[in-house]
Amino acid sequence: WMRYGWCTCAMYPESLRLPGTAPRGGARRQRGLGLITAIALITVVAVVLGALVRTLASSAALDSVDALSTRSMLAAESGMDVALNRAYAPSGTPSCTTRTWTFDAGGLRGCTVTVTCAPVSTGGRNYFDLSSRAACGSGDLQASRRIDARAIAP
């Protein structure tokens, strides 16, 4: 009936415990389990945070590449606009030349554009073959775009 200083009665086992005795298993064993649980929880949180940081870093790099790609496309379109304007010359003599320039202001700062123009005759008609190539960025982070067009010579 009484073993290890406490009662094995099912109804009120806690109330029948003798003073100065501890339940079987002891609180000492439970403290070790808490430490293991805390270490496991810290490890899981560290892994999740590491994955989040890696995801955010790759997302930032993709945003930079996307921005450079957009800037280079806009620079190539600007180059083609200049080439078409010179080819049709609303006020002046039409010209078909190759030209390179670098933007130094605004959103296209640092982008380089090369526009080429070649006169071509096909089937009794005269054309201008126009090409505009733009490159933005430097080093490992670069983007370039090219636009080609054929315009009827005036």
Side-chain angles (χ1 to χ4, degrees):
W1 196 75
M2 294 278 292
R3 212 166 59 150
Y4 302 110
W6 58 287
C7 177
T8 57
C9 301
M11 201 162 161
Y12 299 100
E14 293 294 325
S15 63
L16 296 176
R17 186 175 299 132
L18 295 176
T21 61
R24 282 190 212 175
R28 193 175 301 159
R29 201 180 293 169
Q30 290 179 1
R31 272 187 254 146
L33 182 63
L35 179 62
I36 292 171
T37 304
I39 290 172
L41 183 62
I42 289 170
T43 303
V44 168
V45 169
V47 167
V48 169
L49 286 177
L52 181 64
V53 167
R54 192 173 328 121
T55 301
L56 290 176
S58 65
S59 176
L62 287 175
D63 286 345
S64 296
V65 169
D66 189 39
L68 278 177
S69 179
T70 300
R71 289 176 59 210
S72 63
M73 186 63 184
L74 292 173
E77 287 177 353
S78 296
M80 184 58 72
D81 289 344
V82 169
L84 287 170
N85 188 315
R86 289 176 184 248
Y88 287 109
S91 59
T93 307
S95 70
C96 182
T97 60
T98 296
R99 183 175 176 201
T100 299
W101 69 92
T102 300
F103 291 98
D104 58 358
L108 299 179
R109 178 178 291 131
C111 294
T112 301
V113 179
T114 301
V115 176
T116 58
C117 180
V120 177
S121 291
T122 304
R125 297 208 68 159
N126 295 326
Y127 298 95
F128 292 138
D129 277 346
L130 304 166
S131 179
S132 175
R133 184 185 182 283
C136 298
S138 62
D140 290 339
L141 198 57
Q142 271 190 341
S144 64
R145 293 290 180 265
R146 179 177 157 177
I147 299 175
D148 295 319
R150 177 172 276 183
I152 298 173

